[in-house]
Amino acid sequence: MRRRKLRIVLMIETHTSYGQGLLRGISSYVANREQWVAEVPNWDNEGVTELTGADGVIAQVYGQHDADRLRAARVPVVNVSSHATFNDLPAVRPDNHAAGRLGAEHLLDRGFRSFAFCGIPERYFSGERQAGFCQRIEAHGHPCQTFGWPHYPPPPDRRPLVEWVASLPKPVGLMAANDLRARHLAIVARDAGLRVPEEMALLGVDNDPPLCELNVPPTSSIVLPTMQLGYEAAALLDRLIAGEPAPVGQLLLPPVGIVTRRSTDILAIDDPEIAVAVRLIHERVGRGPLRVRHLLDELAMSRRSLEVRFTQALGRSPAFEIRRVQLERARRLLVETDEPMPVIAKACGFSSGKQFGETFQEQLALTPTAYRKQFRLNAASLPSHAPHPGASTAVGSDA
């Protein structure tokens, strides 16, 4: 017997990179569900007529009004937004605390001692990202300054934001709640004559290429797993339509990683000899096996002095930094090339493909092959320019 077609309504913004990623993921799921007929109604329609006759809905729920409309439709619903959460609406959304923690680690890795977060008070996801960021920064013994700047309606007077940015101790590692807020901060920095990244390293969230690349310099950004979110939301909706009970809690997916552009392509190191050591690590990784003793051949200091001063400057040992840079390069090559694992292992200074695979899995809880597949599933595109030798492209829209 021929199965009845199921009308699936997608209340998803099509003009944002976040919404577009969701739709790609949903489309991937729908491709294997011939009975699904997916529709994207007019987002501005205030009525519920577009939900009449729907068998299921995947929606970016922005607030109480949207939630009430969906409840009135009395159909299975999956919320894919971080703008608002409701206990009675099953949700699949980004782990925004994890995104904040990842942003903190990115800026900590670059040696900053001053940190700040600029959020959007009316956005739920902003508070989560801020909490994750500040908790990780403070766990490393640094204070974290915060500032909330409304998104809508935009304040006519930007002076409070300008004054806050000007007041931050420089150099500062600054994370924005999303790429649009990072865009605002980039304009403020330009108008204030601040040098990015020398005085203010700037990091956003969403990896929305037009927004990131328009800034001068282009802005680094955390990549959210939008395609995976869309796919998992569709799979959950399918189960709900089939009569399975709604899951308890929310499905939170961690960020894929960071695409590093020039806005954070810097190492904030006061010790000039340690800055030289770090530059040597970035230059030498990939030219063959690299050990701490190789650095000492070109530095006029003892191993003990190098270890102590390196840890004072960056909070980690030279050996840890070598391994970190090796893994950063490996992640970039896994994403940007189709080279086999032995070639990547050699290009990153590992002694063998076996050592590379074991080290990668130990540090990232994924095999190199699984990492390559995961990033390519979730990152629709990477920056077209080649990363600076000191840049980091790690596993990595408005939600």
Side-chain angles (χ1 to χ4, degrees):
M1 184 176 68
R2 188 174 180 179
R3 299 181 65 182
R4 180 178 71 87
K5 294 291 185 181
L6 297 177
R7 180 170 175 255
I8 308 300
V9 175
L10 309 179
M11 296 179 62
I12 294 173
E13 292 179 325
T14 60
H15 64 278
T16 64
S17 61
Y18 183 85
Q20 291 163 8
L22 290 173
L23 291 172
R24 285 194 293 270
I26 295 169
S27 296
S28 178
Y29 189 87
V30 172
N32 298 316
R33 296 293 183 277
E34 293 183 359
Q35 74 273 25
W36 277 36
V37 178
E39 301 177 7
V40 182
N42 183 355
W43 181 256
D44 294 326
N45 191 335
E46 290 297 323
V48 295
T49 55
E50 71 272 15
L51 299 180
T52 302
D55 294 287
V57 180
I58 301 175
Q60 287 178 269
V61 183
Y62 277 81
Q64 190 65 52
H65 176 68
D66 288 338
D68 290 342
R69 291 173 62 198
L70 293 166
R71 293 188 187 102
R74 299 186 179 280
V75 295
V77 174
V78 176
N79 179 18
V80 287
S81 171
S82 290
H83 285 270
T85 60
F86 299 90
N87 292 334
D88 62 329
L89 295 181
V92 178
R93 63 189 191 89
D95 187 337
N96 291 303
H97 280 94
R101 295 193 297 270
L102 180 61
E105 293 293 349
H106 181 71
L107 295 172
L108 284 162
D109 283 347
R110 275 142 182 78
F112 287 93
R113 301 295 179 90
S114 173
F115 301 91
F117 185 96
C118 188
I120 307 169
E122 69 270 30
R123 294 294 188 245
Y124 188 80
F125 67 80
S126 176
E128 293 182 315
R129 292 171 189 173
Q130 176 177 309
F133 181 83
C134 291
Q135 287 167 7
R136 184 55 57 91
I137 293 298
E138 290 165 359
H140 282 261
H142 304 291
C144 182
Q145 300 198 43
T146 62
F147 189 81
W149 189 246
H151 175 72
Y152 184 84
D157 185 359
R158 283 209 310 257
R159 281 181 297 179
L161 180 60
V162 173
E163 291 171 358
W164 176 72
V165 170
S167 73
L168 297 172
K170 310 296 188 303
V172 60
L174 176 56
M175 180 173 172
N178 61 9
D179 286 339
L180 185 58
R181 179 47 34 90
R183 170 74 176 158
H184 298 155
L185 289 165
I187 294 170
V188 165
R190 180 197 65 196
D191 292 347
L194 291 175
R195 293 173 297 147
V196 177
E198 291 81 3
E199 294 177 282
M200 186 180 85
L202 181 59
L203 174 67
V205 184
D206 290 344
N207 193 38
D208 194 330
L211 286 176
C212 295
E213 297 289 352
L214 276 173
N215 294 333
V216 180
T219 305
S220 300
S221 187
I222 294 172
V223 181
L224 300 179
T226 53
M227 288 184 64
Q228 187 180 0
L229 287 166
Y231 188 94
E232 294 293 344
L236 173 57
L237 182 63
D238 205 2
R239 296 193 295 272
L240 295 175
I241 292 173
E244 292 188 20
V248 177
Q250 307 172 68
L251 175 59
L252 301 179
L253 301 182
V256 179
I258 296 175
V259 170
T260 299
R261 300 180 177 89
R262 286 175 52 206
S263 72
T264 61
D265 184 11
I266 194 170
L267 290 168
I269 302 174
D270 294 329
D271 189 325
E273 290 184 288
I274 297 306
V276 170
V278 172
R279 188 176 70 250
L280 286 172
I281 291 173
H282 282 275
E283 291 175 350
R284 297 293 181 82
V285 163
R287 296 184 184 177
L290 179 62
R291 302 289 184 270
V292 175
R293 67 176 184 270
H294 298 139
L295 301 178
L296 295 171
D297 292 340
E298 300 197 34
L299 298 170
M301 67 177 74
S302 67
R303 184 178 185 118
R304 173 62 179 167
S305 179
L306 175 63
E307 296 276 359
V308 170
R309 289 167 62 180
F310 205 102
T311 302
Q312 288 175 339
L314 288 172
R316 52 186 180 268
S317 69
F320 187 96
E321 179 69 3
I322 290 171
R323 184 52 47 85
R324 188 185 72 82
V325 174
Q326 286 177 315
L327 290 172
E328 283 189 349
R329 181 162 298 185
R331 288 182 295 208
R332 177 169 59 82
L333 293 175
L334 286 168
V335 171
E336 296 179 351
T337 76
D338 293 315
E339 296 287 359
M341 299 307 159
V343 173
I344 291 178
K346 183 177 181 180
C348 297
F350 290 96
S351 60
S352 67
K354 183 174 184 292
Q355 185 207 22
F356 167 51
E358 291 175 348
T359 302
F360 196 97
Q361 186 163 11
E362 177 185 346
Q363 296 296 318
L364 299 175
L366 281 174
T367 66
T369 299
Y371 178 91
R372 173 178 270 169
K373 289 180 179 177
Q374 183 187 68
F375 195 105
R376 289 183 174 181
L377 172 66
N378 291 294
S381 62
L382 287 172
S384 57
H385 61 276
H388 185 279
S392 151
T393 303
V395 281
S397 92
D398 183 325

